[in-house]
Structures are given as C-alpha cells and as structure tokens.
C-alpha cells in the first residue's frame, strides 16, 4: 500500500513559467514533509520541508503548500529554470514513536524545463 | 568538505556471493539510513540507525543486514545476494530523525546475476 503518492511520473514546463508538482499521502500520522531533488548519477539533495503546523513554506523560488484536510501537498517553482530539470521526490515522516525515524518516499516526478 | 561516501560505486556479482557496501560520513551525524531506488518504485528505506549500536528495519529489510559500530560508518551487508536485489543503493545521514535534512551519498549500482 503506497502511503505517499506522486501521480504524475513526468511534467514539462516552459522556462520562466510556474512548475507545480503534486503529492498525496494516506497516513494521517505523517506530520513532516520534505522534497528532494535528484539529478542523474547523483544522490538526492534536500530542497524544502514543511511541518504540519504550517500550510506554507517558502525558500526563494520554491514554495511548498500543505492541505492537511485533503492530505495533499504541492511544490511550486517560480520561475522555472532549465537547471531545475530533475526528478523530484516527496517524502513524509511521522511525528512520534518508531515512525519518526522512518522516511517514506513517493515514486518521484521527472520535471523537464524547456528553454 | 561535508560528505557521505559509498564504496564501491558499481558492482557486478553472482547469486549467493556475500558482499558489503560501505558508507561513511564526516559530519558527526547521529542518524544514518540505507535506501534502494528501483524504476517505478521510487526510494524505499531498507534499514536505519538512530545512533551507534541502534538499528531498525525500514520498509524493505529482507535479505539485508547492517551494523553501526562507529558513528561515522554504516555498512550494508548482503549475505546471499539474489537477482531481485539488483538496484541502485543510497546511503544517507542527518543530524537526527529524518525530518532533518538528509545528506545522500552518490549511490552504488549493484547487479546480481
């Protein structure tokens, strides 16, 4: 049973426009969410995170929105740049107990930013 | 330079031949973890360690062993590799629980024939 779902395997966006990557989760114990970016032949790198006590977190061109009632989060990249072309993974962690030491990832969305 | 190193980067082996993939971090991180990445399945957690001598299973621990005798090292052991363990493996470390930013190694591509 997939607890973190990224239903779009790929996304193409024109340079300068907004990229919106979506993520849904089913486990109501998840209370911390992270986005990682991965280039080919490299390990993932941390991008941005959000706690369930917030509904928005911004870092430069990257903003993550969390809708707890819908169990949905999204990553907005504005403006998109060709260097943003990568695979983006959504990940989630539970707040307490053994679950707080586990990290569950989605399958990833491959973003292509077209110059 | 702060980093997570993995060795080897590439390995081709045969079914049943024991192997170890090493992982080392130089950031004095408490938490370390192993993941495997497979096409269409994303990243899945194999094992994690909260501190020295403290390890626990992730989502896909079958066929793997780990040990954490020193803070900086967290080797992944495949006692009897099988073809379904052919995958891309990543080691990661962070200050504490994975809600903290994790630093990933460059990956080890393992092929078991």
């Amino acid at each position: 049973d997939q607890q973190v779902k990224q239903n779009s395997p790929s996304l193409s966006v024109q340079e300068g426009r907004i990229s919106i990557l979506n993520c849904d989760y089913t486990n109501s114990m998840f209370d911390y969410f992270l986005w990682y970016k991965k280039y080919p032949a490299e390990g993932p790198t941390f991008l941005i995170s959000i706690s369930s006590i917030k509904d928005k977190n911004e870092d430069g061109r990257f903003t993550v929105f969390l809708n707890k009632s819908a169990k949905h989060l999204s990553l907005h990249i504005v403006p998109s740049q060709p260097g943003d072309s990568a695979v983006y993974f959504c990940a989630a962690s539970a707040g307490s107990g053994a679950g707080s030491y586990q990290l569950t990832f989605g399958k990833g969305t491959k973003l292509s930013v077209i110059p | 330079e702060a980093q997570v190193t993995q060795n080897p980067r590439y390995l081709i082996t045969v079914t049943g031949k024991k192997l170890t993939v090493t992982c080392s971090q130089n950031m004095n991180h408490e938490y370390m973890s192993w993941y495997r990445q497979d096409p269409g399945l994303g990243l899945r957690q194999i094992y994690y360690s909260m501190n020295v001598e403290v390890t626990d299973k992730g989502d896909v621990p079958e066929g793997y062993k780990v040990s954490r005798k020193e803070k900086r090292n967290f080797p992944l052991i495949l006692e009897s590799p099988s073809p379904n363990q052919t995958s891309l493996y990543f080691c990661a470390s962070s200050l504490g629980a994975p809600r903290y930013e994790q630093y990933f190694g460059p990956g080890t591509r393992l092929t078991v024939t």
Side-chain angles (χ1 to χ4, degrees):
Chain A
D1 179 34
Q2 205 183 344
Q3 299 186 69
V4 177
K5 301 177 185 179
Q6 294 178 257
N7 292 320
S8 299
S10 63
L11 175 68
S12 287
V13 171
Q14 208 71 29
E15 180 180 3
R17 306 294 289 267
I18 184 171
S19 294
I20 300 176
L21 293 90
N22 293 305
C23 178
D24 297 293
Y25 62 97
T26 58
N27 188 341
S28 57
M29 298 300 291
F30 288 151
D31 71 341
Y32 205 86
F33 305 89
L34 307 95
W35 286 92
Y36 282 84
K37 178 169 75 173
K38 185 183 181 304
Y39 293 118
E42 294 183 12
T45 55
F46 171 77
L47 192 56
I48 192 168
S49 62
I50 188 166
S51 163
S52 61
I53 62 173
K54 294 185 172 183
D55 53 19
K56 176 182 172 182
N57 189 27
E58 273 182 273
D59 184 1
R61 296 185 298 114
F62 303 92
T63 303
V64 57
F65 295 92
L66 176 62
N67 182 334
K68 289 185 289 293
S69 61
K71 293 191 175 70
H72 176 83
L73 58 155
S74 60
L75 174 69
H76 293 211
I77 307 173
V78 185
S80 302
Q81 300 174 353
D84 297 328
S85 297
V87 176
Y88 289 78
F89 290 101
C90 173
S93 176
S96 60
S100 65
Y101 288 100
Q102 288 189 261
L103 194 62
T104 302
F105 282 86
K107 294 182 178 181
T109 296
K110 184 177 182 179
L111 173 65
S112 300
V113 180
I114 304 158
Chain B
E1 180 191 354
Q3 60 181 352
V4 177
T5 56
Q6 295 178 227
N7 282 293
R9 293 289 312 277
Y10 303 90
L11 180 60
I12 301 173
T13 189
V14 296
T15 299
K17 186 176 180 182
K18 180 179 178 180
L19 67 92
T20 299
V21 183
T22 65
C23 173
S24 183
Q25 51 94 3
N26 63 0
M27 294 168 278
N28 201 36
H29 284 167
E30 303 275 329
Y31 182 91
M32 297 185 75
S33 183
W34 277 101
Y35 300 89
R36 59 180 289 175
Q37 183 186 7
D38 301 289
L41 295 176
L43 286 157
R44 294 179 293 167
Q45 193 171 36
I46 304 170
Y47 268 96
Y48 58 91
S49 169
M50 297 80 90
N51 212 327
V52 175
E53 302 291 3
V54 184
T55 64
D56 207 348
K57 297 176 182 178
D59 294 320
V60 288
E62 296 77 20
Y64 305 95
K65 281 177 58 176
V66 293
S67 68
R68 185 98 182 268
K69 293 185 170 54
E70 306 166 279
K71 199 171 189 179
R72 63 182 294 128
N73 296 323
F74 190 44
L76 180 70
I77 303 155
L78 284 72
E79 296 265 358
S80 182
S82 63
N84 65 11
Q85 293 178 297
T86 291
S87 187
L88 179 58
Y89 291 87
F90 290 101
C91 179
S93 73
S94 59
L95 275 173
R99 58 188 53 220
Y100 290 93
E101 172 185 355
Q102 284 193 79
Y103 293 80
F104 282 78
T108 295
R109 184 164 292 283
L110 172 66
T111 302
V112 184
T113 61

